[in-house]
Amino acid sequence: MTVALMWEARAVDGRGEELLAWARAQELPRAPLRRETFRAPQDRVLVITWWDAGLDAELPELPEPHAELASRAVHRWRFESVSSD
């Protein structure tokens, strides 16, 4: 089974590039199958990691950024892959 972990944060106004750089620099204790980083309006950053694991598996996740960098708590979601038939 493949599980995707989504991590989304919003930077303090004007600090989107710093939040993006911070997220990209975060190393996980083990490597996912795949990792992608996105940015969006309003200085938001999204990181998706894919894992060969069950939906309830213990997996490494990105931490919360420093309070002076993020305007709110990180949003996190887990999704499991489903067949395309």
Side-chain angles (χ1 to χ4, degrees), residues 22-80:
W22 179 90
R24 294 174 97 182
Q26 298 307 299
E27 292 189 26
L28 297 169
R30 64 182 207 250
L33 297 172
R34 183 170 147 201
R35 177 176 172 164
E36 288 190 62
T37 304
F38 303 86
R39 65 175 154 201
Q42 300 176 327
D43 289 327
R44 289 177 292 141
V45 175
L46 172 69
V47 178
I48 305 173
T49 56
W50 285 262
W51 303 87
D52 183 17
L55 190 60
D56 59 351
E58 282 207 30
L59 298 168
E61 297 192 43
L62 272 69
E64 293 277 333
H66 303 291
E68 66 273 2
L69 190 56
S71 65
R72 59 165 167 73
V74 168
H75 293 173
R76 300 171 193 271
W77 303 274
R78 283 185 178 219
F79 295 90
E80 64 182 336

